[in-house]
Amino acid sequence: MINVLFAAKPDRWDEYEADLRTAFAALDLPVDLRTEFPAQDVDYIIYAPNSPVQDFRPYTRCKAVLNLWAGVENVVGNDTLTQPLARMVDPGMTQGMIEFVVGHVMRHHLGMDLHIHGQDGVWRDHVPPLAQDRRVSVLGLGELGMACANALSGLGFPVTGWSRRAKSAPNITCRHGEDGLRETLEQADILILLLPKTASTENLLNEERLSWMPKGAVIVNPGRGQLIDDTALLASLDAGHIAHATLDVFRIEPLPVDHRYWSHPQVTVTPHIASETRARTASEVIAENIRRGEVGEDFLHLVDRTAGY
Ligand code: NDP
């Protein structure tokens, strides 16, 4: 038997149990899946933030910790974790992120608010530009950033992407490094943030870098709240430099009711719903990683503990 501990908040158990059992059966994995085990008996830990497991040392035979979320900032710095850590790359989550990003880009690109909120008898015949005339930049060209960049490029937007290491991709202008960041921001009529939260990305979008963006630019942040210096963003919005920010993630979640973002007319707050891990497709990814662990193959989507993602 392979002992798999589901170490997430109890409400997730109801959401995932059936799909996990189906995925294990589909790969003929003889899994005993439970929410409690003696620590020394556990072969794999399925993990999510606010997990009851915070000290990994007693899990002496555990072969891997399999994170249910794409972001690993809540566990990657845990000194007791010596086992391999895999993050979630879930086709369902990727599809959800594409839909969220494309939807919010199209809202701003087409100027939909003007018509949705402006039903006042005024015939505003402003015609939006074509996608080919609106430059979109994506910070983070990983699983989610690259998928969104490709979807936006497919719609005709000229897309520039920025990553830590040099990359190339058909139809995407790929940049990296500090110089690459400046060029990427200077061309961002619409900016998408899909970077992980690490020591190097915290407050990446600060006062100076916001000033590199074109006047009237729009920001869509489904990455992490810590990527943005909130004070600098509010100042830039107030000064009319950044025209709008659609923010899905925040330093404190839920976003406190008295936070200025809630009442700011140029901010759209969404409650960290850009894209959830989808239980069915994510369970297949978890099962595949356990299969790999059992036959000695490399795990998928391993986290680089030094880079922090
Ligand atoms: P990946 O690890 O696949 O990609 C991360 C990307 O960020 C890579 O391109 C990486 O560069 C780049 N990057 C990391 N650090 C730096 C840096 N210092 N400078 C420049 N580029 C950097 O992650 P995912 O695409 O799967 O997820 C991205 C993030 O999206 C998650 O970490 C999470 O925070 C967020 N997320 C939000 C959700 C929501 O609902 N709001 C849902 C899911 C995820 P390189 O390619 O060189 O490694």
Side-chain angles (χ1 to χ4, degrees):
M1 254 320 164
I2 309 164
N3 293 339
V4 177
L5 175 67
F6 187 86
K9 284 206 300 189
D11 54 330
R12 296 290 175 189
W13 176 245
D14 294 339
E15 190 184 344
Y16 278 86
E17 183 192 359
D19 285 319
L20 282 167
R21 293 195 190 285
T22 303
F24 296 143
L27 294 185
D28 285 330
L29 293 171
V31 166
D32 186 0
L33 175 69
R34 297 193 221 165
T35 54
E36 282 180 19
F37 271 113
Q40 68 277 9
D41 294 346
V42 170
D43 293 305
Y44 297 90
I45 299 176
I46 300 175
Y47 187 88
N50 304 315
S51 164
V53 177
Q54 293 302 324
D55 182 357
F56 292 92
R57 283 171 298 186
Y59 295 87
T60 45
R61 83 175 208 203
C62 174
K63 294 175 199 157
V65 174
L66 308 171
N67 205 48
L68 275 183
W69 296 170
V72 291
E73 68 269 19
N74 291 304
V75 62
V76 71
N78 187 322
D79 291 337
T80 68
L81 176 64
T82 52
Q83 297 86 348
L85 170 66
R87 68 198 186 82
M88 179 50 66
V89 174
D90 161 30
M93 177 165 55
T94 304
Q95 180 60 27
M97 188 60 82
I98 291 171
E99 294 178 14
F100 178 90
V101 166
V102 169
H104 285 277
V105 166
M106 293 311 285
R107 167 194 172 194
H108 296 298
H109 169 60
L110 296 175
M112 289 180 181
D113 290 15
L114 190 66
H115 306 294
I116 292 170
H117 300 302
Q119 300 289 308
D120 53 4
V122 180
W123 189 259
R124 296 182 182 89
D125 60 355
H126 167 73
V127 178
L130 291 176
Q132 67 193 32
D133 299 317
R134 180 93 64 189
R135 300 162 302 172
V136 179
S137 292
V138 183
L139 301 191
L141 281 179
E143 290 293 333
L144 301 175
M146 188 61 91
C148 292
N150 283 329
L152 292 164
S153 169
L155 287 170
F157 292 99
V159 178
T160 301
W162 185 72
S163 54
R164 186 166 62 95
R165 296 162 290 191
K167 277 211 155 120
S168 66
N171 305 318
I172 313 288
T173 304
C174 295
R175 302 192 193 282
H176 69 285
E178 186 66 24
D179 292 348
L181 178 58
R182 183 164 187 145
E183 289 168 328
T184 305
L185 292 177
E186 283 173 349
Q187 286 156 19
D189 297 325
I190 300 180
L191 179 71
I192 318 298
L193 297 181
L194 274 168
L195 293 161
K197 174 191 176 284
T198 68
S200 330
T201 61
E202 184 134 13
N203 285 323
L204 186 104
L205 212 52
N206 58 18
E207 183 184 353
E208 184 187 10
R209 291 175 179 146
L210 285 165
S211 76
W212 296 344
M213 294 176 65
K215 185 170 164 55
V218 165
I219 295 168
V220 179
N221 183 18
R224 281 293 180 263
Q226 289 85 349
L227 302 174
I228 299 180
D229 176 338
D230 294 318
T231 307
L233 175 59
L234 284 163
S236 186
L237 287 161
D238 289 341
H241 184 68
I242 299 298
H244 197 99
T246 293
L247 308 174
D248 184 58
V249 282
F250 306 90
R251 279 161 203 275
I252 301 174
E253 296 182 2
L255 184 66
V257 284
D258 57 351
H259 198 286
R260 263 198 83 202
Y261 282 148
W262 280 116
S263 55
H264 200 291
Q266 292 145 259
V267 174
T268 300
V269 170
T270 58
H272 201 147
I273 44 75
S275 191
E276 270 244 316
T277 305
R278 311 290 151 149
R280 186 182 60 76
T281 42
S283 295
E284 291 167 4
V285 176
I286 298 268
E288 170 59 14
N289 248 346
I290 291 175
R291 185 197 68 74
R292 285 169 171 255
E294 291 307 291
V295 297
E297 290 178 22
D298 292 343
F299 290 111
L300 298 170
H301 318 309
L302 279 181
V303 169
D304 173 346
R305 303 286 297 273
T306 313
Y309 68 97

